[in-house]
């Protein structure tokens, strides 16, 4: 029995490491794409850069499917930040249904009020990007209603929430 318990723990450790490795690969792909976007002297839409983006996104999709497989079968060892990264990666490849699925899990796994506020804002930004304006506003309102103790860092979190919502509202007005 002890050997079975040890083997189960080792299997979970291996799965956790594999999830981490997959998500690290996705994060590295995101960094490479951001570096490409940040280059001032190159045309982001040149044939060469389009080919690079396609290769990086293809690599990201392969790693994402591996991470999804492992997380979906081992949700108990997946963290809030794992699911947050998954939501962002699915958004990047245009799979908004899966992105929303992982945003919801991210909210459920948020381990503190501060993290929950940040994740509600992230989900709200996702909803704004999809033009689901009322749902986005509701997520920001929910984030704003969460009570935090009085401190400078908590004040900054609350201010950021209001500033982000204001930016979206201003940009929405400009689109009209």
């Amino acid at each position: 029995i002890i050997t079975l318990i040890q083997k189960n723990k080792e299997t979970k450790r291996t799965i956790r490491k594999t999830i981490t490795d997959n998500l690290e690969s996705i994060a590295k792909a995101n960094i490479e794409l951001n570096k490409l976007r940040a280059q001032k002297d190159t045309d982001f839409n040149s044939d060469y850069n389009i080919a690079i983006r396609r290769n990086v996104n293809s690599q990201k999709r392969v790693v994402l499917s591996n991470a999804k497989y492992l997380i979906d079968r081992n949700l108990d060892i997946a963290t809030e930040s794992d699911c947050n990264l998954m939501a962002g990666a699915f958004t990047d490849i245009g799979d908004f249904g899966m992105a929303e699925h992982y945003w919801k899990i991210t909210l459920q796994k948020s381990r503190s009020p501060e993290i929950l506020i940040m994740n509600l804002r992230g989900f709200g930004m996702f909803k704004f990007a999809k033009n689901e304006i009322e749902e986005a506003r509701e997520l920001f309102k929910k984030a704003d209603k969460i009570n935090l103790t009085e401190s400078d860092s908590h004040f900054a979190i609350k201010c950021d929430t209001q500033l982000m919502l204001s930016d979206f509202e201003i940009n929405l007005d400009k689109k009209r």
Side-chain angles (χ1 to χ4, degrees):
I1 293 178
I2 292 174
T3 304
L4 244 85
I5 292 170
Q6 288 172 330
K7 185 172 173 99
N8 188 36
K9 285 182 181 180
E10 187 58 38
T11 300
K12 288 285 189 185
R13 254 194 304 276
T14 301
I15 291 168
R16 179 65 245 171
K17 171 135 178 41
T18 306
I19 289 170
T20 300
D21 291 346
N22 279 283
L23 295 176
E24 181 182 9
S25 294
I26 292 169
K28 285 180 179 178
N30 290 341
I31 290 168
E32 292 307 312
L33 288 174
N34 287 334
K35 283 181 187 175
L36 190 62
R37 281 187 190 100
Q39 293 177 353
K40 303 253 187 260
D41 56 343
T42 58
D43 178 10
F44 187 66
N45 293 315
S46 69
D47 290 342
Y48 175 75
N49 285 335
I50 289 171
I52 289 174
R53 287 195 329 257
R54 284 185 178 157
N55 286 334
V56 171
N57 281 325
S58 292
Q59 176 188 14
K60 193 189 308 191
R61 282 193 303 272
V62 169
V63 175
L64 186 57
S65 68
N66 290 334
K68 179 188 179 313
Y69 177 85
L70 292 170
I71 288 173
D72 287 351
R73 283 157 182 74
N74 299 279
L75 201 52
D76 60 316
I77 61 172
T79 66
E80 161 271 330
S81 57
D82 295 340
C83 296
N84 187 302
L85 190 64
M86 294 288 286
F90 275 115
T91 300
D92 292 344
I93 66 166
D95 190 339
F96 301 122
M98 287 308 302
E100 183 153 341
H101 169 74
Y102 279 100
W103 270 118
K104 289 176 181 176
I105 297 171
T106 299
L107 296 179
Q108 291 169 359
K109 288 186 166 281
S110 295
R111 63 187 184 278
S112 70
E114 298 84 357
I115 299 281
L116 180 58
I117 288 171
M118 289 183 247
N119 287 329
L120 285 164
R121 292 186 321 213
F123 194 18
M125 293 186 320
F126 169 78
K127 291 288 194 173
F128 267 119
K130 287 181 51 189
N131 209 30
E132 296 175 7
I133 306 305
E134 288 309 314
E135 295 93 332
R137 285 180 181 136
E138 286 303 314
L139 289 163
F140 273 89
K141 285 178 189 174
K142 189 174 180 180
D144 195 45
K145 287 181 182 176
I146 295 173
N147 290 320
L148 298 175
T149 58
E150 290 189 27
S151 71
D152 289 345
S153 61
H154 288 161
F155 181 71
I157 290 170
K158 292 296 223 172
C159 286
D160 284 346
T161 302
Q162 289 301 316
L163 289 171
M164 291 169 76
L165 180 57
S166 296
D167 284 346
F168 282 113
E169 295 291 353
I170 289 167
N171 289 330
L172 186 62
D173 286 342
K174 287 180 183 177
K175 290 180 184 178
R176 292 179 184 165

